[in-house]
Amino acid sequence: MLLKNKTVIISGASRGIGRAIAVELAGAGANVSFNFLKNNKEAADLEKEIINLGVKVKSFQVDVKNYDAVKSWVEDTKELFGGIDIVINNAGIIKDKALALMEPDDWQEVINTNLEGTFNLTRATIVSLIKQRSGVVVNIASVSGITGMSRQTNYSASKAGIIGFTKALAKEVAAYNIRVNAVAPGFIETDMLKNFTDEYKNQIKKQVPLNRLGRPEEISKMVKFLVGDDAGYITGQTFVVDGGLSIG
Ligand code: NAP
C-alpha cells in the first residue's frame, strides 16, 4: 500500500475537502490524526469510517489559530502514532464582504485561520520532519489566491500568502528531503458554499469550462498523488484543480 505505516496529520477534516483527504490517505494505508473546531459528531463519524479501513485514527478538537493548542496536538500525535510523515494544512474559512464593508475582525479571522493556521501546524511539525530527514507538506490554497476574487480580499490574501509560504518553505527544506506543495481548488461542493443561492451557483458553473462544481474527492486524488513517491521530484508548486475556471 502506498502509505502503509505512514502517519498523516491534517487540519479541518471533520467535513468537506479535509474529510475526503483523510479518507483517501487512510484508504492508501496511512494512520490519520485530524483536528476540527466544533463539529464533534462529524469528527466521531469520520473516526468510525477510518477505523473500518483498518488504520489508526484520532480526532482532536483544536483551534488552528491557537499555536500552543496545535503544538499539544502535534506532541500527542507523535506519542500515539510514533511520528509524523505527512502534514496537510486544510482548515479554512471564508467571510466574504466588499472591502468597503469589511470589519477588522472579518479580515483577522480569515487570515488567522487560513494563513496563521498553516504557519502554526507547519511550524509545530517541521523540526520533526527535518530531524528525520523526510516528509511531505501539502497546503490547500485556492484559485482565489491566484486570480483574486471580488469580495474576498481577506480570503484571496490568505491563500496568496499560502502559495508564497509554500514556495519559500520548499526552498528552505529541500535539502532535508522534505517536499512542500499546494493545491488550489476552484469551486468545490462543500458546506463552504452552503450560503450560495442556486442562482449564484449556476452563474459560477457558467464561468467553469467543465460546466460544474468540483467534488471533494477530485481534490483528495491530487493530494494523494502529491504525498506519494510518484511526486518525488515535485516541490514548491501549486496545482490548480478547478474545471478550467482560472483559464479565464
Ligand atoms: P468546509 O466544508 O467549510 O470545512 C472546513 C473544515 O475546517 C471543517 O472541518 C472545520 O471544522 C475546519 N475548521 C474551520 N475553522 C477551523 C479552526 N479554526 N480550527 C480547526 N478547524 C477548523 O470547507 P471546505 O470547503 O472543505 O474547505 C477546505 C479547504 O479548502 C479550506 O482551506 C478552503 O479554503 C479550501 N478551498 C475550498 C474551496 C471550496 O469551494 N469549497 C475552494 C478553494 C479552496 P468544523 O467542522 O468543526 O467546523
Side-chain angles (χ1 to χ4, degrees), residues 26-73:
N31 297 321
V32 177
S33 169
F34 73 92
N35 82 333
F36 63 100
L37 186 61
K38 314 182 278 256
N39 283 299
N40 286 286
K41 187 183 174 310
E42 280 83 351
D45 288 349
L46 178 61
E47 278 190 329
K48 279 185 211 138
E49 186 172 337
I50 290 182
I51 285 167
N52 286 334
L53 295 171
V55 294
K56 291 187 216 156
V57 59
K58 177 103 174 92
S59 68
F60 295 81
Q61 186 163 18
V62 166
D63 187 339
V64 287
K65 300 194 290 303
N66 181 335
Y67 182 61
D68 288 337
V70 169
K71 248 172 48 182
S72 302
W73 167 33

Side-chain angles (χ1 to χ4, degrees), residues 12-18 35-39 62-65 90-93 113 140-142 155 159 185-188 190-193:
S14 45
R15 295 180 287 127
I17 292 170
N35 82 333
F36 63 100
L37 186 61
K38 314 182 278 256
N39 283 299
V62 166
D63 187 339
V64 287
K65 300 194 290 303
N90 166 78
I93 57 165
T113 304
I140 305 302
S142 169
Y155 186 75
K159 295 299 186 176
F187 289 100
I188 308 299
T190 70
D191 291 349
M192 193 168 262
L193 310 191

Side-chain angles (χ1 to χ4, degrees), residues 1-8 21-32 55 85-86 88 136 179 220 223-230:
M1 262 179 160
L2 182 76
L3 302 176
K4 195 169 163 40
N5 297 325
K6 301 273 186 200
T7 294
V8 55
I21 296 170
V23 171
E24 189 82 46
L25 302 190
N31 297 321
V32 177
V55 294
D85 305 284
I86 298 163
I88 313 283
V136 187
R179 296 184 298 104
S220 62
V223 172
K224 183 165 88 175
F225 167 69
L226 287 174
V227 303
D229 289 343
D230 285 350

Side-chain angles (χ1 to χ4, degrees), residues 136-153:
V136 187
V137 179
V138 177
N139 301 320
I140 305 302
S142 169
V143 162
S144 182
I146 298 173
T147 63
M149 284 191 191
S150 157
R151 302 180 71 252
Q152 288 199 330
T153 51

Side-chain angles (χ1 to χ4, degrees), residues 198-210:
D198 285 345
E199 194 193 333
Y200 185 49
K201 282 190 190 172
N202 284 332
Q203 270 179 32
I204 290 171
K205 283 181 204 165
K206 285 192 194 130
Q207 296 166 34
V208 177
L210 288 178

